[in-house]
Amino acid sequence: MKKSLLTLFALMLALSLALAGCSSGGDSSKGGDDDKVDPNNVMIYGRGGDSVALDPAVVTDGESFIVTEQIYEPLVNYGKDNTDIVPGLAKKWEISEDGLTYTFELEEDVKFHDGEKFNADAVVKNFDRWAQSKDGEKFAYYGSMFGGFEGDEGHVIKDVKAEGDYKVVITLNKPQAPFLKNVAMSPFAIASPKSLDGDKLSKEPVGTGPFKFKSWKPNDTIVLEKNADYWVKDMPKLDGVTFKVIKDNSSRLNALTKGEIDLMDALNPSDMKKVSDNSKLQLFERPSMNVGYLGFNVEKAPFDKKEVRQAISHLIDKQAIIDNFYEGTAEPAKNPMPPSIAGYNDEIQDREYDEAKAKELLKSVGMEKGFTMDLWAMPVARPYMPNGQKVAEAIQAKLAKVNIKANIVTFEWGTYLEKVQKGEAPMFMLGWTGDNGDADNFLYTLLDKDTIDSNNYARYANEDVHKLLVEAQTTADEAKREELYKQAQVIIHEDAPWVPLVHSKPQLAGASKIKGFVPHPTGSQSFADVSFE
Amino acid sequence: MFAYTIRRLATLVPVLLGMTFIVFMMIRAIPGNPAQLILGQQATKEAVAALTQRLGLDQPWYTQFIDYLTGLFTGDLGVSLKTNVPIAEEVWPYLAATIELAFVAMVIAIVIGVNAGIISAWFQNSWFDYTAMVLALVGVSMPIFWLGLMEQYVFSIHLDLLPTTGRDNIRVPVDPITHLYLIDTLIQGRMDQFAEVVKHLILPGAALATIPMAIIARMTRSSMLEVMRSDYIRTARAKGMKMFWVVYKHSLKNALIPVVTVIGLQTGLLLGGAILTETIFGWPGIGTYIYDAISYRDYPVIQSGILVVATIFVLINLLVDLLYAAIDPRIKFK
């Protein structure tokens, strides 16, 4: 009996070894000098999902960017807690008067993690890789932020040239006002030219950033270690960062409370008190760069009537929604973009909660008896909408007061998005988190007639708004741009294709020993100057 | 026996083929375009169309199915749409994580479940019997989600005995070789890490064990009661044999046959049903791998992931049938 057990165990061992041999691609790792790493000076970041890939140019999800942000750097950066442009790998830049030529002067003592020198050629090679690929599915962000690829009619970038070792000149086909803000986005970070050969970058990222890639256990952990040769003096302060996937928000908080992780994102608003009551923990609030909204399909009756949309706008009690479902961590929205973004029109008067006014508006179009409709509620929690079902129920109750019967409808998330995009939803909840802190990324992306069938889920088309938004895209003068966006918001407010609901402030929780962590409105930030007390 | 095994293995082929077909049709019935989900909300229509074409999703379903089957016969499980990595390469670490967890859960479930069942039968209608059976009832109906969070709260945070999540200490991670961490840490001679891995297995293992443990306990009890009423047991007792030997030596062997069936079924179910436990305990297993694939419409991963789990399930069932013969020589295979 004993012998057979032993044989069985040996067989299992052999089998598992053999199986492991088959799975060389399961995780990838590079050698590193572990002996220098103090495990207590490594920050463990708990999050709800894994990265898709580690090549920032080919991904579009926040979970990928938060890792690539540590490994790579773009030419210019955003400010620490805003979207103003500050130097990155380029220490200085000049913009020609016609807004068509950008000359970047690069940092000189920078090395990639593979030892390659960072210089103008590296920048050119990266831009060429994106533009010449003509591959909208692979480099989705490049295509959408720069109007397509080399040879396309709308392509913004004419050419990218090296002038000497440390100067890069980017010439544009037409002025693009948010150009620098686009260049600062995570997908346009510069990778080592050597790493661009072949297709290894997604698994073996090589940048110039404060942390180097060490290993990746899919759906579990991504380990980064300190880049000892980092070009910024005295940075990074941590010996490494490990990203750990814990899907459930409550479990993640349990792991934080126990000290197994040091920082976590996506804290449930209802758990905020648990964190603030615990002296070993601290709360962080991400500045809002999002909008949660209730959209109407303006092509569908009765929402093709402006008065009906305005009436419903008067029936949404935003403050009550914020108090009940956001624990107060959001501000009521009146425009389709948050106040932190240049061009926000603060003079617009929000439609107050007013049943009488709503009834009056409905009466003006002969709908005083009310009607029945479908209200589509989000099935998943998003930073701008922590609990779609509950918010939908609150809205449903208010609509009932003027005899509007709303049936709450929901689908699994992928299906929901697809159906809303196809225009199947008469009234739906959705939201948007900005990419680059520019008004264009809200107003044009979400409400221009060009983006119907794409992100303009309300299918809203207004020729005047379109003219203003397109003019703003090509105007270099910032003050004039802001004026154009303000005008557009006035028209949008009047037309009411949406009821803007909230600008939420996503909450993070961390150990109290964390110093220097400033959550960025874009949703990800470098941990270079984060330290433990 | 050998011929029987071969025959059983041969019948697995149509079973798995049928299952593959059903899953294939089912996942294509879910609305939602994978290309759109992969490219995100930013993508242009052209990019979505191009990706749809590249993935072959614009082809008729039968072409896609035949392509998939052809791949399967050459050992190609397809390529994940999300990660672009061949599934055959990336599936093992997930599967290993779940196998390790399910193994521990089954050990807990069998050891406690069988013994609780035996003792309940032995002392029928005693306080132990009643308590155990009430607990078993609670165990079957307990939501794993809630149980998992309670375990974390009590044993990790309040009593500070065990870790809350993960497979190893993230600050001193295990270097995977086989991806079965219990074995890996032993191979590397890292007893400190072995202890960590064991600690990490206890809470999720216990959570996952609850339902099978309860089912096994009830099954063992009723099976034991039946056997203990039989003549040969009465004879053994009449001869003055000690009750312990009557129960554990004579009764158990016969009572175990239906229990083994239940154990086999439950083990299979554990592999597929570990999703909730894996979600709560941050366990990177096959359950969450398939679950993620569903929300991402990663067709090849859903398809092949389920196929892998189903294959293991039917193999376990085969193993159970073969075990019958080992337990009870009266059972003959034809």
Side-chain angles (χ1 to χ4, degrees), chain A residues 385-399:
Chain A
M385 187 66 64
N387 193 337
Q389 295 293 316
K390 294 278 179 208
V391 174
E393 283 166 25
I395 293 171
Q396 183 187 42
K398 295 290 185 192
L399 295 180

Side-chain angles (χ1 to χ4, degrees), chain A residues 192-504:
Chain A
S192 161
K194 216 164 99 184
S195 71
L196 300 180
D197 305 330
D199 218 0
K200 289 186 292 187
L201 210 56
S202 285
K203 293 274 166 209
E204 293 168 23
V206 188
T208 58
F211 296 96
K212 294 194 281 188
F213 173 73
K214 194 175 172 210
S215 65
W216 184 358
K217 291 182 194 165
N219 250 345
D220 189 18
T221 49
I222 292 179
V223 180
L224 308 181
E225 59 184 6
K226 179 180 185 157
N227 172 9
D229 301 323
Y230 189 48
W231 59 281
V232 181
K233 214 173 164 244
D234 299 330
M235 303 252 191
K237 292 172 179 161
L238 295 168
D239 281 354
V241 181
T242 298
F243 294 87
K244 162 76 186 163
V245 178
I246 304 171
K247 283 192 186 303
D248 181 62
N249 289 3
S250 306
S251 303
R252 211 173 323 127
L253 180 58
N254 282 344
L256 178 70
T257 312
K258 182 83 197 297
E260 289 165 14
I261 60 174
D262 302 309
L263 184 63
M264 65 168 275
D265 61 13
L267 181 71
N268 289 332
S270 52
D271 284 333
M272 280 170 62
K273 200 170 158 7
K274 267 191 212 161
V275 177
S276 54
D277 286 352
N278 187 333
S279 62
K280 286 183 188 156
L281 302 180
Q282 59 179 323
L283 274 173
F284 296 100
E285 187 171 85
R286 204 179 275 294
S288 178
M289 204 169 86
N290 61 39
V291 58
Y293 64 88
L294 192 62
F296 303 103
N297 182 340
V298 301
E299 292 173 353
K300 276 197 169 164
F303 304 114
D304 51 350
K305 292 193 181 73
K306 182 164 86 176
E307 291 77 6
V308 176
R309 304 195 296 261
Q310 289 176 343
I312 290 181
S313 305
H314 278 294
L315 292 168
I316 311 293
D317 190 347
K318 295 175 192 173
Q319 195 55 51
I321 290 175
I322 290 168
D323 292 343
N324 287 307
F325 308 115
Y326 293 77
E327 307 285 316
T329 61
E331 56 183 307
K334 57 183 182 181
N335 286 317
M337 60 190 237
S340 56
I341 288 180
Y344 180 81
N345 192 339
D346 205 17
E347 280 160 26
I348 282 177
Q349 284 291 315
D350 198 12
R351 292 191 177 88
E352 295 295 319
Y353 180 77
D354 188 344
E355 285 172 33
K357 181 87 187 154
K359 278 182 187 158
E360 199 181 294
L361 279 161
L362 287 174
K363 199 174 172 191
S364 72
V365 288
M367 302 203 77
E368 64 272 28
K369 287 190 182 142
F371 53 89
T372 304
M373 54 161 246
D374 287 342
L375 164 58
W376 288 39
M378 285 181 48
V380 291
R382 278 290 175 275
Y384 46 76
M385 187 66 64
N387 193 337
Q389 295 293 316
K390 294 278 179 208
V391 174
E393 283 166 25
I395 293 171
Q396 183 187 42
K398 295 290 185 192
L399 295 180
K401 297 199 166 182
V402 294
N403 293 322
I404 300 176
K405 188 175 179 302
N407 303 314
I408 296 179
V409 173
T410 195
F411 294 93
E412 184 274 334
W413 183 229
T415 312
Y416 185 89
L417 276 180
E418 184 171 313
K419 283 176 171 284
V420 172
Q421 190 176 42
K422 280 188 185 156
E424 288 180 29
M427 183 166 145
F428 53 90
M429 289 157 65
L430 255 181
W432 180 258
T433 300
D435 291 307
N436 61 358
D438 196 90
D440 181 67
N441 187 245
F442 281 88
L443 299 185
Y444 179 82
T445 308
L446 303 174
L447 286 164
D448 190 83
K449 67 167 193 169
D450 289 351
T451 55
I452 293 178
D453 284 334
S454 166
N455 289 309
N456 183 351
Y457 299 134
R459 311 184 79 78
Y460 169 68
N462 181 310
E463 207 47 56
D464 295 333
V465 171
H466 175 67
K467 274 185 197 144
L468 289 166
L469 296 180
V470 170
E471 193 185 340
Q473 277 182 334
T474 49
T475 304
D477 180 356
E478 274 301 320
K480 187 163 176 227
R481 284 189 81 213
E482 288 182 21
E483 189 45 45
L484 294 168
Y485 284 125
K486 283 181 181 170
Q487 287 173 27
Q489 285 164 73
V490 172
I491 307 173
I492 294 169
H493 178 74
E494 173 60 23
D495 286 346
W498 292 3
V499 186
L501 294 176
V502 296
H503 305 297
S504 74

Side-chain angles (χ1 to χ4, degrees), chain B residues 22-51:
Chain B
I22 293 168
V23 173
F24 185 89
M25 295 313 283
M26 276 172 73
I27 53 180
R28 273 159 183 81
I30 321 172
N33 180 358
Q36 178 74 54
L37 283 157
I38 291 165
L39 296 175
Q41 284 186 49
Q42 297 288 350
T44 58
K45 262 200 291 187
E46 295 75 32
V48 173
L51 184 61

